[in-house]
Amino acid sequence: MARYVPTVALRKQALFPGQITQLTFARGPSVSALDAHLDQKLDLVCVLQTDPGLENPGPEDVAKVGVLARVHRTMNLPDGGVRALVEVGERCTVSDFHESQNLGTCCTPGRFVTQPGDPKLVQAATKRVIELARDVFNTSATDKPPDALDKAIEMQSEPGRVCDHLASQIGIVPPEAQELLAEPSLVKRLERLAWFMERAQQYAVLRRRIADDVQKQMDAGQREYQLREQLKAIQKELGETVVDEVSAYDEKIRAAGMPEEVEKEARRELERLKKIHVDAAEYMVARTYLDWLVAMPWQVQTEDNTSLHEARTVLDEDHYGLDKIKERLLEFLAVRQLKPDAKSPILCFVGPPGVGKTSLGKSIARALGRKCERIALGGMKDEAEIRGHRRTYVGALPGRVIQSLKRAGTKNPVIILDELDKIGNDFRGDPASALLEVLDPEQNSTFRDHYLDAPFDLSNVLFVGTANVEDPIPAALHDRLEIIRLHGYIEEEKLAIAQQHLYRRLREAHGIAEGHLDIPERVAAYLIRSYTREAGVRSLERELASLFRKTARRIVEGDAAPFVLDEPQVTTWLGPPKHHPELAERTDRPGIAIGLAWTESGGEILFIEATRMPGPRGLKITGSLGNVMKESCEAAMSFVRERAAQFGLEPSVFADNEYHLHMPAGAIPKDGPSAGVVLTTALVSLLTGVPVRSDLAMTGEITLRGKVLPVGGIKEKVLAARRAGIKEIVMPRLNERDLHDVPKVLRDELSYHFVDDADEALALALGSGVFRPVATPIVELESH
């Protein structure tokens, strides 16, 4: 033999002597080896590589025994590979396998010596192998009849040839085939082949038994069920329980308690499911639809806790104050006692962030003994989020309302519709319009979700909405809501909330035992005044959490508890105060006045600054103002110019000067008519040189005739004034009735002045000295 001969490493096939087969050569070194074999008339060695995933096998990655082969015919493939008809020759040993520039992959072949062994043992083993081969081919190889096997065996005169021929026919895996190929003892080779054939015979018998069981259960019209029935037969053979999941839906539909119309639709869908093949795409669509139908709480509901005393106790445990809301819920419970089938109201809590709107909805559910689910509506733009998707769409699901009912497991939960004022809309529809049916007691008893396409009764659901402002809520939706307004908390209420709720919650959240941190009442009041300025209590909770975290750290570091906080310690831990009184320094000169504004976050004080410069007549307005507020500025200037003589002003004051009205915090948009009075006051203060009182704030819309019209948000504005240290408030007389919503402590602490026109407001803010007597013209009558 030549020193080196071309060699091909085979991924998934071990060849036996005498075998004729087709091989595909795709790797570059293998194709080079094939070309060298054909061009240089060299022998070709075929050897199995141990790891079929290797792209470039090395000497240690191929078997030590292979075969010599000869290529009879080749065909080039489009991908650059070559398909060849190969005739296998004798076994050979393989050594020094490597890649050569001229031969591709090559090796040094050696002579393989077979040990013949005892002739009697060889003859017996050969006979056994032939008998087993007949049984195997009779059972499984229907395309190879027994007479073809006999003729093939007669052509192989030697036992070794018979062994090689049968080994290439029974389909054993490559490692086992390589084991037979490399076995030097002929007797052991035949015995090992016999063991492989016995195993193949057992597999063939088992497959035939499964096929026979399946065939008995099939008829000519149900050929498509073959794979499913084979799976059942395999499970039965393995001793596993075969469960018919489709048939189980019949009992689930019966137990779901569906209305007659819905049950009829469910059974129609079940009959359709039974006729669909399990591998069809429609199978999972129909099955998912049935899963939703049987999982819905058609008849399941929780029993309401109608005890007014227990409900009041739960509400008081969860929330401080909010008496109007608690009274409304107790009224609802009283009506349910007298009329159990009364329709549930559609409540909507409107108020600034942090006042407890969402948590109040959860508290209502706990007081009633109902399940609670929350649907976040903020930023929702797709109508299908409410009504669901139609089943024709891939991945379709019911809407959020139906999903919430399924999660709750009852037909009468409390569903919180969070952030109603932040619903969007685009080309996919308007979710707010879809909510009209959900929140209408006259319609929601037969609510149809697009996915279920079956009526579901929502009349037992207690819907609770939340919003920061009412204006963005569409009018039709607003009309269906019972609006309950939550105003901001005063300092005393925040202190009580901290003592009754926040301290306990933060102790549990930070693992601090009761008594390890003592926050005196005066320190808590200092924290509220100096570090928080909000309508709710979220900022207060964050600042308190910082104190608890620092306390936890000191306990872990070994400092002795309890810790008693004082103002200096709070300043050390939290930094300098974030808010401080600044009214006196902001209103110490003419042209500055304090107004009161309402925002989504509650009330705020608003500084109005006015100034004038020599130049052409004009009015400049700055401070990120909306159109309505700009018009208020112009109305105030027109009123002051019209009353110039009353204030002792010359017309040239307006003709020779340019005026500028500014509202600080220019990054914050401002709008609304309620700053009319304070704008007028700032202008008059500037022109007369009289400073506005620093402890007085004003609100009210002004007309060109000087009338002061009522405005909204009175409670929030009063709370903001109190937080800022204001002592007196000027407001329209028609707003006097709104003080009913203001806590008594604020009504008693602050002074309120109710005015009908701008003259009264100016006299309170600047003093009556700003008015100059106007000379009345004397008319001389002719004498007759």
Side-chain angles (χ1 to χ4, degrees):
M1 289 187 182
R3 177 71 177 90
Y4 292 112
V5 299
T7 304
V8 176
L10 304 178
R11 293 179 184 270
K12 300 180 180 180
Q13 186 176 5
L15 303 179
F16 288 91
Q19 185 177 354
I20 299 177
T21 185
Q22 280 190 349
L23 296 178
T24 300
F25 302 90
R27 291 180 286 193
S30 298
V31 175
S32 298
L34 178 63
D35 293 340
H37 164 69
L38 296 174
D39 296 341
Q40 303 178 31
K41 307 300 182 182
L42 298 174
D43 291 328
L44 179 68
V45 175
C46 296
V47 63
L48 180 69
Q49 64 183 65
T50 55
D51 184 356
L54 291 176
E55 188 65 25
N56 297 303
E60 67 281 359
D61 300 320
V62 297
K64 301 304 179 184
V65 176
V67 292
L68 297 173
R70 185 173 58 182
V71 175
H72 290 284
R73 186 170 61 247
T74 62
M75 181 177 67
N76 294 327
L77 300 177
D79 59 358
V82 178
R83 182 173 297 164
L85 181 65
V86 177
E87 180 182 2
V88 182
E90 299 298 327
R91 288 175 172 83
C92 68
T93 60
V94 176
S95 61
D96 196 11
F97 178 84
H98 65 283
E99 187 172 341
S100 168
Q101 183 176 0
N102 298 325
L103 301 180
T105 48
C106 61
C107 74
T108 301
R111 184 165 176 259
F112 183 89
V113 179
T114 300
Q115 303 171 5
D118 188 345
K120 293 182 179 180
L121 293 178
V122 171
Q123 184 178 2
T126 304
K127 184 177 180 181
R128 174 62 177 158
V129 165
I130 294 174
E131 291 174 354
L132 288 171
R134 288 194 174 94
D135 293 339
V136 170
F137 288 118
N138 282 337
T139 306
S140 59
T142 56
D143 58 333
K144 295 181 180 180
D147 55 347
L149 175 65
D150 292 338
K151 292 179 180 179
I153 293 175
E154 289 177 0
M155 295 175 62
Q156 312 294 338
S157 58
E158 298 179 4
R161 295 295 185 185
V162 173
C163 180
D164 291 338
H165 175 73
L166 295 178
S168 65
Q169 299 294 320
I170 62 173
I172 54 180
V173 296
E176 294 176 346
Q178 181 63 34
E179 179 185 350
L180 284 179
L181 183 68
E183 177 58 54
S185 172
L186 180 58
V187 176
K188 291 183 179 180
R189 196 186 303 167
L190 289 166
E191 290 175 349
R192 188 63 175 163
L193 178 62
W195 186 88
F196 288 147
M197 286 190 165
E198 288 178 354
R199 184 184 65 182
Q201 183 185 25
Q202 293 174 1
Y203 288 164
V205 170
L206 183 59
R207 285 196 298 268
R208 177 58 62 86
R209 184 190 306 167
I210 293 173
D212 291 343
D213 290 344
V214 171
Q215 191 64 34
K216 292 177 182 178
Q217 300 177 28
M218 293 174 58
D219 56 27
Q222 295 180 326
R223 301 290 297 177
E224 67 273 13
Y225 284 102
Q226 182 176 2
L227 292 177
R228 188 188 307 172
E229 297 299 328
Q230 285 183 348
L231 177 61
K232 290 181 181 180
I234 292 172
Q235 290 175 330
K236 180 179 178 181
E237 193 66 34
L238 294 174
E240 297 178 359
T241 303
V242 180
V243 179
D244 189 355
E245 296 180 353
V246 175
S247 300
Y249 280 108
D250 188 68
E251 180 60 31
K252 291 179 181 179
I253 293 173
R254 187 180 299 108
M258 303 175 185
E260 182 179 352
E261 177 185 351
V262 181
E263 184 174 351
K264 181 179 179 181
E265 175 64 21
R267 294 198 176 280
R268 187 188 70 82
E269 191 70 17
L270 178 59
E271 291 301 319
R272 178 171 170 266
L273 178 66
K274 291 178 179 179
K275 299 175 182 178
I276 300 176
H277 191 273
V278 68
D279 288 335
E282 294 84 356
Y283 179 84
M284 287 307 301
V285 174
R287 180 172 171 176
T288 303
Y289 176 66
L290 284 175
D291 286 337
W292 275 99
L293 285 180
V294 300
M296 291 300 297
W298 300 99
Q299 302 297 334
V300 181
Q301 64 180 17
T302 55
E303 185 176 352
D304 284 347
N305 174 24
T306 56
S307 171
L308 301 185
H309 175 72
E310 292 181 8
R312 181 73 192 214
T313 301
V314 170
L315 293 173
D316 289 339
E317 287 177 357
D318 292 347
H319 291 84
Y320 176 84
L322 306 179
D323 294 329
K324 182 183 292 187
I325 297 156
K326 294 175 182 177
E327 289 295 327
R328 179 63 185 88
L329 181 61
L330 295 177
E331 293 168 2
F332 166 67
L333 292 178
V335 172
R336 290 301 291 260
Q337 283 193 17
L338 299 178
K339 186 175 175 57
D341 59 345
K343 295 180 179 180
S344 300
I346 312 296
L347 305 178
C348 181
F349 301 139
V350 178
V355 296
K357 301 182 294 297
T358 304
S359 61
L360 188 60
K362 297 177 181 178
S363 182
I364 290 174
R366 195 165 79 89
L368 292 173
R370 295 190 182 188
K371 299 291 184 63
C372 181
E373 292 292 330
R374 173 178 167 272
I375 300 176
L377 300 177
M380 183 182 293
K381 296 182 179 181
D382 190 353
E383 177 190 350
E385 294 279 359
I386 303 298
R387 291 187 180 276
H389 298 83
R390 301 189 186 277
R391 279 182 288 156
T392 53
Y393 295 104
V394 176
L397 282 175
R400 297 279 191 91
V401 177
I402 295 299
Q403 292 182 36
S404 298
L405 289 168
K406 180 188 175 185
R407 285 195 302 268
T410 65
K411 61 184 293 187
N412 64 336
V414 174
I415 295 183
I416 302 174
L417 302 174
D418 218 1
E419 310 294 356
L420 269 171
D421 55 330
K422 297 176 180 61
I423 301 178
N425 61 78
D426 60 9
F427 64 93
R428 291 170 292 184
D430 183 6
S433 299
L435 281 173
L436 296 179
E437 180 185 2
V438 175
L439 299 181
D440 191 340
E442 302 299 327
Q443 302 180 41
N444 62 10
S445 59
T446 56
F447 173 71
R448 279 185 178 268
D449 184 272
H450 286 164
Y451 182 84
L452 294 185
D453 195 25
F456 194 95
D457 186 3
L458 300 180
S459 61
N460 295 309
V461 178
L462 177 57
F463 290 100
V464 176
T466 71
N468 295 128
V469 290
E470 295 180 56
D471 294 343
I473 302 176
L477 182 59
H478 188 281
D479 185 60
R480 288 162 167 77
L481 304 174
E482 180 179 342
I483 303 295
I484 300 178
R485 292 174 178 83
L486 282 74
H487 304 285
Y489 297 114
I490 62 176
E491 181 179 310
E492 289 78 6
E493 291 174 331
K494 292 183 180 180
L495 187 60
I497 291 171
Q499 293 172 338
Q500 298 179 22
H501 300 281
L502 298 183
Y503 291 169
R504 181 180 69 252
R505 185 194 307 171
L506 291 171
R507 277 197 303 268
E508 295 174 355
H510 295 84
I512 297 177
E514 187 172 2
H516 281 189
L517 177 61
D518 182 15
I519 306 178
E521 186 172 316
R522 60 179 175 80
V523 177
Y526 169 74
L527 178 67
I528 293 170
R529 285 193 302 269
S530 302
Y531 290 89
T532 66
R533 185 166 290 179
E534 56 172 347
V537 293
R538 283 182 182 157
S539 293
L540 175 60
E541 184 172 7
R542 282 192 290 268
E543 300 296 341
L544 286 172
S546 180
L547 296 178
F548 276 86
R549 289 195 302 271
K550 295 182 184 300
T551 301
R553 176 184 172 185
R554 279 153 180 77
I555 292 174
V556 172
E557 290 176 347
D559 293 349
F563 296 92
V564 181
L565 294 184
D566 55 15
E567 287 91 338
Q569 185 65 51
V570 170
T571 303
T572 301
W573 282 4
L574 299 182
K578 300 176 181 178
H579 307 284
H580 54 86
E582 56 179 349
L583 302 184
E585 63 186 58
R586 294 290 291 271
T587 59
D588 58 350
R589 54 177 291 181
I592 300 177
I594 303 173
L596 296 174
W598 178 92
T599 68
E600 295 183 13
S601 301
E604 295 288 345
I605 64 170
L606 193 66
F607 289 94
I608 308 295
E609 298 179 352
T611 189
R612 62 178 175 177
M613 299 83 58
R617 185 177 67 185
L619 177 63
K620 182 184 296 185
I621 305 169
T622 58
S624 187
L625 308 184
N627 291 330
V628 176
M629 186 166 282
K630 289 180 180 178
E631 292 174 357
S632 295
C633 294
E634 294 172 356
M637 175 58 80
S638 298
F639 170 78
V640 174
R641 290 182 60 193
E642 192 269 336
R643 298 287 186 93
Q646 185 178 351
F647 302 126
L649 304 175
E650 297 294 334
S652 60
V653 171
F654 300 101
D656 300 335
N657 292 280
E658 181 182 9
Y659 290 84
H660 187 172
L661 285 172
H662 177 67
M663 299 182 194
I668 302 175
K670 311 169 189 69
D671 204 359
S674 63
V677 170
V678 70
L679 288 167
T680 303
T681 303
L683 286 171
V684 175
S685 171
L686 172 69
L687 293 169
T688 60
V690 180
V692 181
R693 293 171 51 188
S694 62
D695 61 347
L696 180 140
M698 316 175 78
T699 185
E701 181 180 357
I702 194 169
T703 69
L704 292 176
R705 296 177 294 116
K707 296 297 182 182
V708 179
L709 303 182
V711 293
I714 293 299
K715 182 178 180 181
E716 287 80 2
K717 293 177 179 178
V718 171
L719 294 177
R722 200 266 188 126
R723 285 197 302 268
I726 298 293
K727 301 300 181 183
E728 298 184 30
I729 298 177
V730 176
M731 65 176 65
R733 187 173 302 280
L734 291 177
N735 282 122
E736 184 175 3
R737 61 180 182 268
D738 295 320
L739 287 183
H740 174 75
D741 296 330
V742 177
K744 186 177 184 303
V745 64
L746 291 187
R747 295 201 300 267
D748 298 339
E749 181 177 332
L750 303 182
S751 297
Y752 302 90
H753 304 282
F754 305 102
V755 299
D756 291 312
D757 55 49
D759 291 343
E760 298 178 51
L762 292 171
L764 289 167
L766 304 173
S768 58
V770 298
F771 299 103
R772 303 285 190 271
V774 179
T776 304
I778 299 176
V779 180
E780 296 183 359
L781 301 177
E782 295 182 0
S783 59
H784 296 281

